[in-house]
Amino acid sequence: MHEPEKFQQETIKAITDLQETFRQTMSRQLALGAMVKSILNRVPLAALPSVLEEYEAEVDHQVALMPPKFQQPKHWEEWSGVIEARIKQLQQAQGPKTQGQG
């Protein structure tokens, strides 16, 4: 086999392997996102602010281990937004507090 043909075959295999890795990663991410959302739906309102705080602290810790060129904050910040939205949703569902309820 000529070198250009071998190079082409190796390149095609590398691209195919990357596509498979991408599909696996996206499938895992989808499953993890669904799991997180289903778990958040079971967390009581009183616990959610500390969940948010712990999540953000853990993200900060993990990000510090990642080279800056690979950091993409928009992808982990969206989860803070999911937790904040759940807090607002539960607060709205409770309705306004009457006087004396703190």
Side-chain angles (χ1 to χ4, degrees):
M1 185 180 302
H2 292 48
E3 286 301 314
E5 292 171 349
K6 183 178 179 184
F7 177 76
Q8 183 180 16
Q9 285 181 344
E10 290 172 352
T11 302
I12 290 170
K13 179 166 181 356
I15 291 170
T16 302
D17 290 348
L18 281 172
Q19 288 173 330
E20 180 59 25
T21 300
F22 177 76
R23 283 192 291 273
Q24 290 174 4
T25 301
M26 292 304 294
S27 293
R28 287 184 181 115
Q29 183 178 344
L30 182 142
L32 286 171
M35 184 187 334
V36 168
K37 287 182 179 181
S38 65
I39 290 169
L40 281 177
N41 287 337
R42 296 181 177 271
V43 176
L45 175 58
L48 284 172
S50 65
V51 168
L52 177 60
E53 184 178 316
E54 289 173 29
Y55 166 75
E56 290 177 343
E58 185 59 27
V59 165
D60 289 344
H61 172 74
Q62 294 295 323
V63 167
L65 303 174
M66 181 185 293
K69 68 180 181 180
F70 296 123
Q71 296 177 13
Q72 297 183 337
K74 66 182 178 184
H75 297 297
W76 61 76
E77 289 171 353
E78 71 185 54
W79 285 105
S80 294
V82 168
I83 299 169
E84 291 166 349
R86 181 67 179 151
I87 291 169
K88 288 179 185 172
Q89 179 187 32
L90 290 175
Q91 288 171 336
Q92 289 174 348
Q94 283 184 344
K97 292 183 179 181
T98 58
Q99 229 174 8
Q101 285 188 317

